[in-house]
Amino acid sequence: MSKAGIFFVSCSVIFFIDRMFVHFFEWQTFLFPISGILFMLEDKNGDGNIIQLVAVSLVFDFFSGYSFGLTTIVLLISVLSGFFLRGIFNINSNSIVSTTLLVLLLTLIYAFILSLISSPKVLMFQIITILIEVVCVLISFKFLSSIIKHNDFRKI
Amino acid sequence: MRTGFYKKYITVFLFVLVLFFVNTYATNGAISNFLYKITFESNSFFSDKLSKWSWFADRFLVSADSVERLLYLEEENSRLRGELAEADGIKKENQFLRKQLGVASRSDVLLEVVKIFNIERSNLGSTALIDKGISNKIKIRMPVVAPGNVLIGLVDEVFGDYSRIILLDDPRIKINVRTQESGILAELRGLLKNSASLDLVSAGDKVSVGDSVVTSGLDGLEEFLFVGKVVRAEESNLGLFKEVLVEPEFDLSLGLSVFVILN
């Protein structure tokens, strides 16, 4: 399976989890933005994934509760910040620690921008959730990448 | 590679930006309206089922407390019946006095029956979609209520045939309210997870758990719409204001047919 294929399948699962978790466990997830950011950072060239990311993001956007397109714009801003930060600080994408920190930072940027539109108070409540989910997504990603041996699927 | 990436990025970004502005400002949400039309049936089905399952799961998980809860509800029910009878008497007396004094009665509210067909509780918002829009004279910031004048939320975005409402626990909600028992004015802000905070309640104000919260009418909303009950009232660490949490009264699992107050 190609990298894009894995991303689409993961996003379908996340879409399902998103709808279920909130109803049964009152747990609001940030799984999609975290996966989207990771998907973009994982690509060394960074020019092949953006269309796929936007296509999936628009689907999630439709169910976000915000004006259609808004969360995709915010996600694109976070992704761009990621590329700048990676360039400026010369972050090694092979290191799991630096990748975790970068994904965490970018997800916080994403949540921060959206909380400016809603209420800054919300970000304070969501920090722990974001932290837990970033760790979970990265562990799952590492686990998946060790199982699926594919040329395009580079280990982090 | 960088030039290639940025070229593609800028193109995609501009595309999404144009999509956002055209949809939100130029066409009154025509794209959203079209997408909601396509997904209306599936959305209705899943919202209905999920809310019922959620209700079931919720009740199932708290089954240990259910007897106690039932007793409490029975007690509350009889108390409310008494209050209803009293309110009925006051209403008649009020009508009689208005007639005697020649004071015009309050204008009757115009209601539009709507159906909630999608509930979205995401990480940064709590919204629902209703099946009426511009064509039914729905406008932004109109209150949405359940039977019994229980406030559900406010209309946030209106499309051709549909509208999006922000629920009371959405962080974007900002309503002027008062506590019914002590009459203290405060500002209600959503905190997600079916809870909201009462801001600007000073440390000296008497607010206690169980107090009812209603709209004050100071911000243009209809007065006395029931919002919810205070579930926590504690002194803040900062000392100036109290930390007051409110649980919105309306439970979406109890029914998806509601009303929009048009005037």
Side-chain angles (χ1 to χ4, degrees), chain A residues 19 29 45-46 66 76 126, chain B residues 1 5 9 54 120 123-124:
Chain A
R19 323 235 86 62
T29 71
N45 297 321
Y66 284 80
L76 282 173
Q126 302 283 20
Chain B
M1 80 91 192
F5 167 74
Y9 181 92
S54 173
E120 284 303 325
N123 42 34
L124 290 161

Side-chain angles (χ1 to χ4, degrees), chain A residues 58-59 61-63 68-69, chain B residues 19 23 29-43 117-118 129 159 161-162 164:
Chain A
L58 285 173
V59 176
D61 207 322
F62 179 55
F63 296 97
F68 185 58
Chain B
L19 190 74
N23 182 52
I31 300 166
S32 301
N33 196 59
F34 173 70
L35 292 171
Y36 291 137
K37 201 166 261 180
I38 295 170
T39 56
F40 180 77
E41 289 301 326
S42 56
N43 268 334
F117 70 95
N118 182 283
L129 291 167
F159 315 112
D161 308 308
Y162 308 100
R164 180 185 293 121

Side-chain angles (χ1 to χ4, degrees), chain A residues 19 22-23 26 28-30 45-47 54 62-68 76 80 83 114 122 126, chain B residues 1-2 5 8-9 12 20 23 35-36 54 120-124 127 157 164 171-172 192-193 199:
Chain A
R19 323 235 86 62
V22 77
H23 279 280
E26 289 199 340
Q28 278 118 2
T29 71
F30 277 87
N45 297 321
D47 56 355
V54 167
F62 179 55
F63 296 97
S64 68
Y66 284 80
S67 298
F68 185 58
L76 282 173
L80 189 65
F83 276 94
L114 281 177
V122 176
Q126 302 283 20
Chain B
M1 80 91 192
R2 285 288 179 221
F5 167 74
K8 204 173 247 182
Y9 181 92
V12 169
F20 171 72
N23 182 52
L35 292 171
Y36 291 137
S54 173
E120 284 303 325
R121 292 189 187 277
S122 68
N123 42 34
L124 290 161
T127 58
E157 209 174 349
R164 180 185 293 121
R172 286 168 285 180
L192 298 171
K193 295 182 181 176
D199 292 354

Side-chain angles (χ1 to χ4, degrees), chain B residues 179 198 207-213 228-233 244-247:
Chain B
T179 56
L198 276 195
V207 178
S208 34
V209 174
D211 281 1
S212 301
V213 179
K229 281 187 174 172
V230 174
V231 288
R232 203 173 86 188
V244 184
L245 281 187
V246 175
E247 191 181 273

Side-chain angles (χ1 to χ4, degrees), chain A residues 30-73:
Chain A
F30 277 87
L31 294 175
F32 173 67
I34 295 168
S35 307
I37 288 164
L38 187 62
F39 177 63
M40 284 305 294
L41 291 178
E42 189 267 339
D43 187 25
K44 219 169 199 174
N45 297 321
D47 56 355
N49 294 345
I50 195 100
I51 292 169
Q52 291 140 359
L53 178 78
V54 167
V56 179
S57 181
L58 285 173
V59 176
F60 277 85
D61 207 322
F62 179 55
F63 296 97
S64 68
Y66 284 80
S67 298
F68 185 58
L70 189 68
T71 54
T72 305
I73 291 169

